[in-house]
Amino acid sequence: MDLLDDTVPGIGTYEDFNTIDWVREKSKDRDRHREIANKSKQSTVALLFSISDAFSGWLLMLLIGLMSGALAGGIDIAAHWMTDLKEGVCLNGFWFNHEHCCWASNETTFQERDKCPQWKSWAELMVGVSEGPGLYVVNYFMYVCWALLFAFLAVILVRAFAPYACGSGIPEIKTILSGFIIRGYLGKWTLIIKTITLVLAVSSGLSLGKEGPLVHVACCCANILCHFFTKYRRNEAKKREVLSAASAVGVSVAFGAPIGGVLFSLEEVSYYFPLKTLWRSFFAALVAAFTLRSINPFGNSRLVLFYVEFHTPWHLLELIPFVLLGIFGGLWGAFFIRANIAWCRLRKNTSLGHYPVLEVVVVTLLTALLAFPIEYTKMSSSELISELFNDCGLLDSSKLCGYTSNSGSTSGSVNATAANGLGARLAGPGLYTAMWQLALALVLKMVFTVVTFGMKVPSGLFIPSMAVGAIAGRLLGVCMEQLAIRHHERDIFRGWCSPGADCITPGLYAMVGAAACLGGVTRMTVSLVVIMFELTGGLEYIVPLMAAAMTSKWVADALGRESIYEAHIRLNGYPFLEAKEEFRHKTLATDVMRPRRGDPPVSVLTESGMTVEEVERLIADTTYSGFPVVISQQSPRLVGFVLRRDLVISLENARRHQEGVVSMSPILFTECDPPMSPSAPPAVKLRSILDLSPFTVTVHTAMEIVVDIFRKLGLRQCLKSHLIELIIKKKVNIEEHYWNL
Amino acid sequence: MDLLDDTVPGIGTYEDFNTIDWVREKSKDRDRHREIANKSKQSTVALLFSISDAFSGWLLMLLIGLMSGALAGGIDIAAHWMTDLKEGVCLNGFWFNHEHCCWASNETTFQERDKCPQWKSWAELMVGVSEGPGLYVVNYFMYVCWALLFAFLAVILVRAFAPYACGSGIPEIKTILSGFIIRGYLGKWTLIIKTITLVLAVSSGLSLGKEGPLVHVACCCANILCHFFTKYRRNEAKKREVLSAASAVGVSVAFGAPIGGVLFSLEEVSYYFPLKTLWRSFFAALVAAFTLRSINPFGNSRLVLFYVEFHTPWHLLELIPFVLLGIFGGLWGAFFIRANIAWCRLRKNTSLGHYPVLEVVVVTLLTALLAFPIEYTKMSSSELISELFNDCGLLDSSKLCGYTSNSGSTSGSVNATAANGLGARLAGPGLYTAMWQLALALVLKMVFTVVTFGMKVPSGLFIPSMAVGAIAGRLLGVCMEQLAIRHHERDIFRGWCSPGADCITPGLYAMVGAAACLGGVTRMTVSLVVIMFELTGGLEYIVPLMAAAMTSKWVADALGRESIYEAHIRLNGYPFLEAKEEFRHKTLATDVMRPRRGDPPVSVLTESGMTVEEVERLIADTTYSGFPVVISQQSPRLVGFVLRRDLVISLENARRHQEGVVSMSPILFTECDPPMSPSAPPAVKLRSILDLSPFTVTVHTAMEIVVDIFRKLGLRQCLKSHLIELIIKKKVNIEEHYWNL
């Protein structure tokens, strides 16, 4: 009787920092499903169980959507409040942010909606100063103090409770989805700490975004919820299907773009994306988006992060500046990746990495000191992007809309009569100020984002990249606009800015620039365009967006093959088989096999004839993650393959629970028992943990085919027919050797 | 010296009705790419060539988008004109359709935009009758005559010139994309005939749509354009990447929904969808959508087929009727598939299939006779759907908006004061008439669609299914509306139809019903929702659409596993490995291997020692599509696998071109030449056509793993290690045996 079956706890699980065996996991799931389906015919209870099992996936998706949407709403509200807390507090109740505080106030008009007596800046509150340089200095000081406090708390919490909570999360999730195990990366402590520290990090004014961390948060929710469903708890492959869906949820709540979220998951994060996951991801993303909307963090019952309200047409020749923005985006992407990776390498290899808390505090100090004086760096990046995307309406009093009116007055507000004349769109002093401030903000943001991404706090880079692009786009858009106005009599600009006709919309340029820069860094393609499409709600601007996105990707790809996430994967040394890897020379499997010439021969087990002691010694002497099993030393025909971990667990279990097992007990991998003398100790039968159908390739198999097999079928190891040699998938790279096998 | 290299024409190509070898095709492409990349370092010309080769894919996509968009625009314009031609002709110029004809006329108001003196019905034109029963009869007669003429021309052209042009095209394209070869299915004659006959079939008033055929047209364009690009002409795998993109283009121009088109291609049609194809498909779909818009077939510079202009909110309790519509959609899907397949089987197995022309004529006659009297079947399905989606505005005079006004008058037009009162939305006699006419139309459309789909004319089923759903939805919507109005004082309806508040929108019910029915038939999920999202332009109605789509899919899946396309694939016997197939019992590879017990042993070739005559006799005696090559009869160790076709071509080529080859010439598959006597005839060396890395599995491999390997890696055959047995992929099904090997 075989005492070692699947109910031995530990069999079938994996070591930390190992890859899973997709084929085995899928077989387990198919067997389970077949068993349930066959039993369901026997009784009504079994039938109901089978139906509930089929729907458990949908219930899980619903729960993930609800939990992620709720968390994202909470994060948004808290971050908004704490960001405003750096500047002042509401007398009606300290838990109100600035906008909420002034809502109820009757003295506000739309223009002045942020000014109300209930909101007191710190200077006014603490010192009683209400004007003059003292006001400025005290506010400056308080702003920097709050920023330092938030950042300090964030990094302390991360270091103390959940070191995995730092960074973006997307590179590690990509690796996990490709089959790697990182225990604790998606656990409950990581979730709690990541949520809290994300709010703190965003509020501290650092140049980082929420999107990557929101994907991490959603995946943590998914991982935790999986524990309540048998179907997903024990099966690593099914769990990864759920995690794919959770990545879609993360992007969906970050932007309010469910379709874009699903495509992001498909394009950037998922390794295996069965079509079944597509439908469920979409469902979960929608649930999350609507949960977020009901929580209503933006106070405007809108779903999208940046709502674009204009629909003015664009002119064909504007494609030239749009392509220029695309080139800028590609250059920014290539520059950012190289600079950031160099900085992270510096952090890893020098003493800079030994003082993470100090690093965070110093960077926050510098960011806050340099950000406060300039309006455009003081506001949060999301607000900045919203303002840059905005088209200047008649009532806009911001400096960005500081055009001169027809009568020559330089007031900020543009009155109705002025809008008819061309002079209304000539840049006034307000606009000039805004321009050089934006240019300064551009440089600061670029530098700070390079230094911030990768610190030991949660940090995303979607919003910072979009901010860089939006600033560049708006600058270019205003330049184009002024050019068109001053030279409107030339052929090339005819019809662009005639009186009464729509002129150039700088907000559109900001949007295109944001898309180009984001694409250059992440190399997103379809998901980027779809997210922007969902943000703007119409197909009018698809062509400029596509042109910029394509140009940006081509330029960035020409300068460097990897996106930021792949670069970080490589920096951290994760075993990720990239789909795009090409081999320069026609490499064969025989070139990468182990053992190589000069290495000792591969350790094998025989089907019968080995004792427990011999096997235990072999396990202790080697570090291989698995062993081939052959018929005998003389006839090395392959029977199967057995994993080290399963062997260790089975032998321990046999020693503990099976009667009469001693070091001299024979180990059998055969199907039928060979005849044994009655005085011999009872055998340990291990056929159940033997993989009887390992994959084999011939020596002449080209390396690309081997990589294809590994990637498409999800293998861990692949054996060579006729002789026992192994290719183990940890890092299949012809220049580098493998890790511990 | 080896005379047989890759330049022997025919080596590496495939027989008709065979499957391609994806692994070989991909290796070919990688080798080609590596060669170009290595050469590009040598000279500037080579570098430019390498760059142009990299961009050739994008140029091809651009051309496909332009060509498909132009063709689709032409088809739309021609179909619109010929549909109107059944009813009358424009005096200003016979090439104008009804709407164009009356545009210029000054006597039309918006209401009366279709009435103008320049447009004459046939009765008025031919007989001079302008009123009375004679008018009706003559118009009826002319309508039926034109319909018969169009349908007759269509089926004659299809039968005479391009038999592949009939039907939808999507089942065959699915099969082609999975690796099957059907020569001529995407050729130029098929393209020409399909385009012309599609216009004729749609204009004849038959209950069919354009969408499936547009996908076929786009794929034909792609196939023809591939011939101009070396990279794609010779490589069947790369060609299929392009065809995936072309399917996206087809749906994109059918609906004006590029994102939905890409997702449709991903979900329904493509077998292998490398991520690279995603970006290029999207690009091609956008180019096509914008080409179509510039051609402007709808005369309204809108991109989308059905433009939905309302944005009224919906109430949570309305989810119940939405789910009911979903159930209806699922039932319709299951019913349609079974009825249509039964009808097609009848056509195949009885004499009904021997008279296709007669069948088409009879069906068209019945359709026209029964359609003309009812307004809702006389108009084209697209127009019907547009009208059903429409919300009744103040100026709508159609019967569907025949509500009574407050004053009790029963005029069709609703005046402004009446809209404030509840009585404005009570059903008037116009609406009652519309209701029973719609109910009749529903039954007629259901029956005719079942009979029409599968006839020997191009026919799609998206629009007919949506029409069925839209009618059912509108009926339910009006019922709900009337219920809410008459009982508005009850709690459940409170707030729904109070004076001044938005009431129920029957147009939304029509939309939800259309989505549900389309989903039930095709089992589309995400692509369906995204297409509807692109049609409506906003996320407000996503929740009703999702609810109906999910319910419809569950109900339909519970009643039958296959979508209409999979059912047709199975009906026609194509070798398509469905992703969803499950094996009821744990089946092993050994159960499906050939040869089975009692069969003669597999024919093998030996590495050396066989003569040309022996091999030719083996080829003539057997029908296998390939032969394993072993070391010798005594030592049956596998060396490789050689395909029949390649063997035949190589031997013919050797006999013709190589000197001294006779029947006694030895055939060598070895790397090095064995010593030969000088008088022996020269050897034919065939190592270059030998596949040295065939895939092998052990006998214990589970069948699902084998199917997975076949599907994911795209194999044609898979060998068993140790002994020579074969599993050939033609139809891997444990109940059925294989076709000719």
Side-chain angles (χ1 to χ4, degrees):
Chain A
M1 191 183 75
D2 201 8
L3 284 171
L4 294 158
D5 53 17
D6 276 326
T7 59
V8 176
I11 297 286
T13 59
Y14 302 91
E15 306 254 350
D16 201 5
F17 293 104
N18 263 266
T19 41
I20 71 173
D21 192 335
W22 290 88
V23 178
R24 185 162 78 160
E25 298 299 308
K26 286 188 183 159
S27 300
K28 271 190 345 194
D29 184 60
R30 272 190 281 249
D31 290 344
R32 178 182 177 280
H33 188 243
R34 190 184 297 118
E35 200 185 309
I36 290 179
N38 286 340
K39 273 194 188 153
S40 75
K41 304 182 193 343
Q42 295 170 6
S43 74
T44 320
V45 172
L47 180 68
L48 287 175
F49 179 70
S50 138
I51 292 175
S52 87
D53 187 74
F55 278 102
S56 63
W58 290 97
L59 179 62
L60 178 60
M61 291 294 142
L62 180 72
L63 293 174
I64 290 173
L66 290 171
M67 188 171 169
S68 307
L71 270 177
I75 289 172
D76 281 338
I77 292 175
H80 200 175
W81 170 61
M82 288 171 73
T83 305
D84 286 343
L85 201 62
K86 295 203 303 287
E87 302 187 30
V89 74
C90 185
L91 292 180
N92 287 348
F94 71 92
W95 55 87
F96 285 122
N97 66 34
H98 195 161
E99 203 179 335
H100 271 92
C101 193
C102 293
W103 260 2
S105 172
N106 288 333
E107 298 142 50
T108 60
T109 65
F110 184 74
Q111 293 281 85
E112 311 278 306
R113 67 186 185 279
D114 278 350
K115 293 185 180 41
C116 58
Q118 287 84 0
W119 177 266
K120 294 272 179 245
S121 70
W122 290 112
E124 292 170 357
L125 195 70
M126 288 166 42
V127 187
V129 182
S130 52
E131 57 179 39
L135 180 86
Y136 187 82
V137 169
V138 177
N139 279 334
Y140 202 159
F141 177 74
M142 286 308 295
Y143 180 92
V144 173
C145 280
W146 277 111
L148 284 174
L149 175 68
F150 290 155
F152 180 73
L153 272 177
V155 69
I156 288 291
L157 284 173
V158 166
R159 299 283 295 162
F161 294 107
Y164 280 145
C166 67
S168 160
I170 291 183
E172 287 80 4
I173 288 173
K174 258 178 96 109
T175 316
I176 289 176
L177 283 177
S178 84
F180 200 54
I181 302 256
I182 308 179
R183 292 205 191 288
Y185 199 81
L186 302 174
K188 62 183 183 303
W189 272 116
T190 312
L191 173 65
I192 294 170
I193 297 299
K194 187 115 188 180
T195 308
I196 297 175
T197 53
L198 177 62
V199 172
L200 288 168
V202 168
S203 314
S204 71
L206 283 167
S207 182
L208 47 83
K210 292 199 299 287
E211 296 68 39
L214 277 175
V215 172
H216 191 179
V217 162
C219 287
C220 288
C221 293
N223 194 41
I224 291 167
L225 287 168
C226 271
H227 278 282
F228 300 108
F229 293 84
T230 324
K231 191 169 164 184
Y232 296 95
R233 181 173 58 232
R234 292 195 198 145
N235 193 308
E236 295 288 338
K238 297 291 278 179
K239 202 187 282 191
R240 275 153 182 74
E241 282 179 23
V242 174
L243 290 178
S244 288
S247 326
V249 168
V251 175
S252 166
V253 294
F255 288 104
I259 307 173
V262 171
L263 286 171
F264 175 82
S265 176
L266 180 67
E267 209 184 348
E268 289 289 316
V269 173
S270 299
Y271 205 73
Y272 297 103
F273 207 88
L275 280 182
K276 182 169 63 175
T277 328
L278 190 76
W279 189 211
R280 295 184 183 193
S281 302
F282 190 56
F283 173 66
L286 273 183
V287 168
F290 274 90
T291 309
L292 185 63
R293 179 155 88 156
S294 358
I295 293 180
N296 206 2
F298 304 121
N300 54 10
S301 87
R302 286 212 192 100
L303 200 56
V304 290
L305 190 57
F306 314 116
Y307 195 66
V308 163
E309 282 165 324
F310 53 84
H311 290 281
T312 51
W314 52 276
H315 310 276
L316 202 62
L317 275 177
E318 285 184 280
L319 275 177
I320 300 175
F322 292 145
V323 166
L324 282 178
L325 282 173
I327 294 175
F328 173 79
L331 292 172
W332 156 251
F335 159 75
F336 175 80
I337 293 171
R338 286 191 195 197
N340 183 252
I341 292 296
W343 185 258
C344 290
R345 243 186 250 284
L346 201 73
R347 195 184 282 131
K348 264 182 106 162
N349 298 336
T350 68
S351 56
L352 176 65
H354 298 173
Y355 304 102
V357 180
L358 185 62
E359 181 192 5
V360 168
V361 167
V362 167
V363 171
T364 312
L365 181 66
L366 287 171
T367 309
L369 282 177
L370 292 172
F372 187 87
I374 307 175
E375 177 190 350
Y376 296 111
T377 43
K378 186 168 108 177
M379 61 169 82
S380 74
S381 296
S382 308
E383 273 187 64
L384 173 65
I385 296 175
S386 290
E387 184 152 338
L388 292 170
F389 280 9
N390 190 25
D391 197 20
C392 287
L394 291 177
L395 302 174
D396 241 304
S397 65
S398 69
K399 283 211 296 292
L400 264 180
C401 297
Y403 295 97
T404 60
S405 58
N406 228 358
S407 57
S409 91
T410 55
S411 71
S413 57
V414 178
N415 50 39
T417 56
N420 292 330
L422 261 185
R425 300 295 288 197
L426 269 176
L431 192 53
Y432 279 118
T433 320
M435 289 294 107
W436 71 256
Q437 279 187 345
L438 278 176
L440 203 57
L442 179 67
V443 173
L444 284 176
K445 276 217 179 291
M446 283 166 100
V447 171
F448 280 127
T449 311
V450 168
V451 173
T452 310
F453 189 69
M455 287 204 304
K456 298 299 178 200
V457 287
S459 62
L461 49 64
F462 277 37
I463 291 286
S465 303
M466 288 177 79
V468 165
I471 296 176
R474 189 88 190 201
L475 288 172
L476 183 64
V478 168
C479 291
M480 285 293 298
E481 186 186 42
Q482 298 306 307
L483 206 69
I485 288 179
R486 290 175 205 281
H487 299 106
H488 69 272
E489 65 281 356
R490 293 194 193 213
D491 282 342
I492 200 174
F493 293 123
R494 186 159 303 177
W496 283 23
C497 285
S498 344
D502 284 324
C503 202
I504 294 178
T505 326
L508 173 61
Y509 284 71
M511 216 162 70
V512 171
C517 283
L518 184 56
V521 171
T522 57
R523 311 293 163 90
M524 285 158 67
T525 51
V526 184
S527 38
L528 176 68
V529 178
V530 172
I531 287 175
M532 299 307 287
F533 164 71
E534 285 183 280
L535 291 185
T536 61
L539 281 177
E540 303 98 355
Y541 300 129
I542 278 264
V543 174
L545 288 170
M546 277 288 283
M550 280 167 67
T551 316
S552 157
K553 182 153 163 64
W554 279 332
V555 168
D557 275 346
L559 296 170
R561 283 201 67 83
E562 295 176 320
S563 76
I564 184 68
Y565 302 126
E566 289 151 18
H568 272 265
I569 286 177
R570 196 161 53 87
L571 178 75
N572 291 327
Y574 296 131
F576 186 75
L577 261 186
E578 187 47 50
K580 306 188 206 113
E581 261 185 58
E582 277 195 8
F583 293 89
R584 192 163 304 119
H585 309 287
K586 198 171 171 68
T587 319
L588 298 178
T590 187
D591 300 326
V592 293
M593 283 178 165
R594 285 290 200 96
R596 305 195 175 211
R597 294 186 195 288
D599 287 348
V602 163
S603 312
V604 300
L605 305 177
T606 52
E607 211 178 22
S608 57
M610 291 185 85
T611 60
V612 169
E613 186 188 358
E614 282 170 348
V615 173
E616 284 173 341
R617 199 174 347 118
L618 189 65
I619 292 174
D621 287 347
T622 57
T623 49
Y624 298 127
S625 68
F627 302 93
V629 174
V630 295
I631 291 185
S632 67
Q633 293 284 3
Q634 296 79 24
S635 162
R637 250 180 58 180
L638 190 66
V639 178
F641 193 82
V642 65
L643 294 171
R644 177 198 193 82
R645 179 177 170 86
D646 289 346
L647 209 53
V648 166
I649 291 174
S650 310
L651 288 176
E652 277 180 23
N653 187 70
R655 279 202 182 265
R656 206 176 310 136
H657 294 138
Q658 194 179 339
E659 281 212 32
V661 167
V662 295
S663 296
M664 294 308 295
S665 296
I667 287 187
L668 295 176
F669 289 103
T670 50
E671 208 172 342
C672 321
D673 299 340
M676 309 207 92
S677 58
S679 60
V684 178
K685 294 186 200 141
L686 296 182
R687 192 167 174 85
S688 63
I689 63 169
L690 183 63
D691 175 11
L692 292 164
S693 45
F695 285 91
T696 56
V697 293
T698 66
V699 284
H700 299 285
T701 310
M703 202 52 208
E704 282 109 347
I705 296 181
V706 176
V707 173
D708 241 1
I709 301 175
F710 269 95
R711 205 177 48 241
K712 285 188 177 161
L713 297 177
L715 305 182
R716 287 169 52 116
Q717 66 276 331
C718 191
L719 305 167
K720 171 176 169 291
S721 37
H722 303 314
L723 294 171
I724 306 305
E725 288 171 20
L726 296 163
I727 309 172
I728 302 286
K729 165 186 172 183
K730 272 291 181 81
K731 207 163 175 182
V732 182
N733 189 319
I734 57 168
E735 286 110 25
E736 296 183 39
H737 285 276
Y738 307 110
W739 292 2
N740 317 339
L741 283 181
Chain B
M1 194 184 74
D2 202 8
L3 285 172
L4 294 160
D5 52 16
D6 276 326
T7 59
V8 175
I11 296 287
T13 59
Y14 301 92
E15 306 254 353
D16 201 5
F17 293 103
N18 262 267
T19 40
I20 73 174
D21 191 334
W22 289 90
V23 178
R24 186 161 79 159
E25 297 300 304
K26 287 193 183 154
S27 299
K28 269 189 347 194
D29 183 61
R30 273 189 280 248
D31 289 343
R32 179 182 176 279
H33 189 243
R34 192 182 297 119
E35 199 184 310
I36 290 178
N38 286 341
K39 273 195 188 154
S40 75
K41 305 184 192 345
Q42 295 171 7
S43 74
T44 321
V45 172
L47 180 67
L48 287 174
F49 178 71
S50 137
I51 292 176
S52 84
D53 187 75
F55 278 102
S56 61
W58 290 97
L59 179 63
L60 178 59
M61 289 295 143
L62 179 73
L63 293 173
I64 290 173
L66 290 172
M67 188 170 169
S68 307
L71 270 177
I75 289 172
D76 280 338
I77 293 176
H80 200 176
W81 169 63
M82 288 170 73
T83 305
D84 286 343
L85 199 62
K86 294 202 305 286
E87 300 187 31
V89 73
C90 185
L91 293 180
N92 287 347
F94 69 92
W95 54 86
F96 285 122
N97 64 34
H98 196 161
E99 203 178 337
H100 272 92
C101 192
C102 292
W103 260 2
S105 170
N106 290 330
E107 298 142 49
T108 60
T109 64
F110 185 73
Q111 293 281 85
E112 312 278 306
R113 67 186 184 281
D114 278 350
K115 295 187 181 36
C116 59
Q118 287 85 357
W119 176 264
K120 295 269 178 244
S121 70
W122 290 112
E124 292 169 356
L125 194 71
M126 289 168 40
V127 186
V129 181
S130 53
E131 56 177 42
L135 178 87
Y136 188 81
V137 169
V138 177
N139 280 332
Y140 200 160
F141 177 73
M142 287 306 297
Y143 181 93
V144 173
C145 281
W146 277 111
L148 284 174
L149 175 69
F150 291 155
F152 180 72
L153 272 177
V155 69
I156 288 290
L157 284 173
V158 165
R159 298 283 295 162
F161 294 107
Y164 279 146
C166 67
S168 158
I170 292 184
E172 286 80 5
I173 288 173
K174 260 178 96 108
T175 316
I176 288 176
L177 282 176
S178 83
F180 200 54
I181 302 256
I182 308 178
R183 293 206 190 285
Y185 199 80
L186 302 174
K188 62 182 184 304
W189 271 116
T190 312
L191 173 64
I192 295 170
I193 297 299
K194 188 117 188 181
T195 308
I196 297 175
T197 53
L198 176 61
V199 172
L200 289 168
V202 168
S203 314
S204 71
L206 283 166
S207 181
L208 46 82
K210 294 198 297 286
E211 297 67 39
L214 277 175
V215 172
H216 191 180
V217 163
C219 288
C220 289
C221 295
N223 193 41
I224 290 167
L225 286 167
C226 273
H227 279 281
F228 301 106
F229 294 84
T230 323
K231 191 168 161 181
Y232 295 95
R233 181 172 60 228
R234 292 193 198 149
N235 194 307
E236 294 288 338
K238 299 290 280 178
K239 203 187 280 191
R240 276 153 180 74
E241 282 180 24
V242 174
L243 290 178
S244 288
S247 325
V249 168
V251 174
S252 166
V253 293
F255 287 104
I259 307 175
V262 171
L263 286 170
F264 175 82
S265 175
L266 180 69
E267 208 183 348
E268 287 291 316
V269 173
S270 298
Y271 204 75
Y272 297 102
F273 208 88
L275 279 182
K276 184 168 62 173
T277 328
L278 189 76
W279 189 212
R280 294 184 183 194
S281 302
F282 189 57
F283 173 66
L286 273 182
V287 168
F290 275 90
T291 309
L292 185 63
R293 180 155 87 157
S294 356
I295 294 181
N296 204 6
F298 304 121
N300 55 8
S301 87
R302 286 213 192 101
L303 200 58
V304 290
L305 191 57
F306 314 116
Y307 194 66
V308 163
E309 281 164 327
F310 52 85
H311 290 283
T312 51
W314 52 277
H315 311 276
L316 201 63
L317 275 177
E318 286 185 278
L319 274 178
I320 300 176
F322 292 145
V323 166
L324 281 178
L325 281 173
I327 295 174
F328 173 80
L331 291 173
W332 156 251
F335 158 75
F336 175 80
I337 293 172
R338 287 193 195 197
N340 184 250
I341 293 294
W343 184 258
C344 289
R345 242 185 249 286
L346 200 72
R347 195 185 282 133
K348 265 183 107 161
N349 299 335
T350 66
S351 56
L352 178 64
H354 297 174
Y355 304 101
V357 180
L358 186 62
E359 179 193 6
V360 169
V361 167
V362 167
V363 171
T364 312
L365 181 67
L366 287 172
T367 310
L369 281 177
L370 292 172
F372 188 87
I374 308 174
E375 175 188 350
Y376 296 112
T377 42
K378 187 168 108 175
M379 63 171 79
S380 74
S381 295
S382 309
E383 274 187 63
L384 173 64
I385 296 175
S386 291
E387 185 152 336
L388 291 171
F389 280 9
N390 191 25
D391 196 21
C392 287
L394 292 176
L395 304 174
D396 241 305
S397 64
S398 68
K399 282 208 297 292
L400 264 181
C401 297
Y403 294 98
T404 58
S405 60
N406 228 356
S407 55
S409 88
T410 55
S411 72
S413 58
V414 178
N415 50 39
T417 56
N420 293 330
L422 259 184
R425 302 294 287 196
L426 267 178
L431 191 55
Y432 280 118
T433 321
M435 289 294 108
W436 71 257
Q437 280 187 346
L438 277 176
L440 202 57
L442 179 67
V443 173
L444 284 176
K445 276 217 179 290
M446 284 166 96
V447 171
F448 280 127
T449 312
V450 167
V451 172
T452 310
F453 189 68
M455 287 204 304
K456 299 299 177 200
V457 287
S459 61
L461 48 64
F462 277 37
I463 292 287
S465 302
M466 289 177 78
V468 165
I471 296 176
R474 187 87 189 200
L475 287 171
L476 183 64
V478 169
C479 292
M480 285 293 298
E481 186 187 40
Q482 297 305 306
L483 207 67
I485 288 179
R486 288 174 205 281
H487 301 107
H488 70 272
E489 65 281 354
R490 295 193 194 213
D491 281 341
I492 200 172
F493 294 122
R494 185 158 306 177
W496 283 24
C497 283
S498 345
D502 286 323
C503 201
I504 295 179
T505 327
L508 173 62
Y509 284 70
M511 216 163 69
V512 170
C517 283
L518 183 57
V521 171
T522 57
R523 312 291 163 88
M524 283 158 67
T525 52
V526 184
S527 38
L528 176 67
V529 177
V530 172
I531 287 175
M532 299 307 287
F533 163 70
E534 284 182 279
L535 290 185
T536 60
L539 281 176
E540 302 98 354
Y541 300 130
I542 278 262
V543 174
L545 287 171
M546 278 286 285
M550 280 168 67
T551 316
S552 157
K553 182 153 162 67
W554 280 332
V555 169
D557 275 345
L559 296 171
R561 287 199 65 81
E562 294 176 323
S563 77
I564 184 68
Y565 302 126
E566 289 153 19
H568 272 265
I569 286 179
R570 196 162 55 85
L571 179 74
N572 291 327
Y574 297 132
F576 186 76
L577 261 187
E578 189 45 54
K580 305 188 205 109
E581 261 184 58
E582 275 194 7
F583 293 89
R584 194 166 301 118
H585 309 286
K586 198 173 170 70
T587 319
L588 298 178
T590 188
D591 300 325
V592 294
M593 283 179 164
R594 285 292 200 91
R596 306 192 178 217
R597 293 187 195 290
D599 286 349
V602 162
S603 311
V604 301
L605 304 178
T606 52
E607 208 179 26
S608 58
M610 291 186 85
T611 60
V612 169
E613 186 188 0
E614 286 171 347
V615 173
E616 285 175 340
R617 197 172 352 116
L618 189 65
I619 292 174
D621 287 347
T622 58
T623 48
Y624 298 128
S625 68
F627 302 94
V629 175
V630 296
I631 292 186
S632 66
Q633 292 285 1
Q634 296 78 28
S635 162
R637 250 180 59 180
L638 192 65
V639 177
F641 193 81
V642 67
L643 294 172
R644 179 198 192 82
R645 181 178 170 85
D646 289 346
L647 208 52
V648 167
I649 291 174
S650 308
L651 288 176
E652 276 178 25
N653 187 70
R655 276 199 183 268
R656 207 177 307 136
H657 294 137
Q658 194 178 338
E659 282 211 33
V661 166
V662 294
S663 296
M664 291 310 294
S665 296
I667 287 187
L668 295 177
F669 289 103
T670 50
E671 207 166 355
C672 321
D673 298 342
M676 306 207 96
S677 58
S679 59
V684 179
K685 293 185 200 144
L686 295 182
R687 191 168 174 87
S688 62
I689 63 168
L690 184 62
D691 175 10
L692 294 164
S693 43
F695 286 91
T696 56
V697 295
T698 64
V699 284
H700 297 286
T701 310
M703 202 52 209
E704 283 107 346
I705 296 182
V706 176
V707 173
D708 240 1
I709 300 174
F710 269 95
R711 205 179 44 243
K712 286 190 177 160
L713 297 178
L715 304 183
R716 287 170 52 119
Q717 65 275 332
C718 190
L719 305 168
K720 173 177 169 293
S721 36
H722 304 312
L723 294 171
I724 306 305
E725 289 171 17
L726 297 163
I727 308 171
I728 302 287
K729 165 186 175 184
K730 272 293 181 79
K731 206 162 175 179
V732 182
N733 187 321
I734 57 168
E735 286 109 27
E736 296 183 40
H737 284 275
Y738 307 110
W739 291 2
N740 314 340
L741 285 181

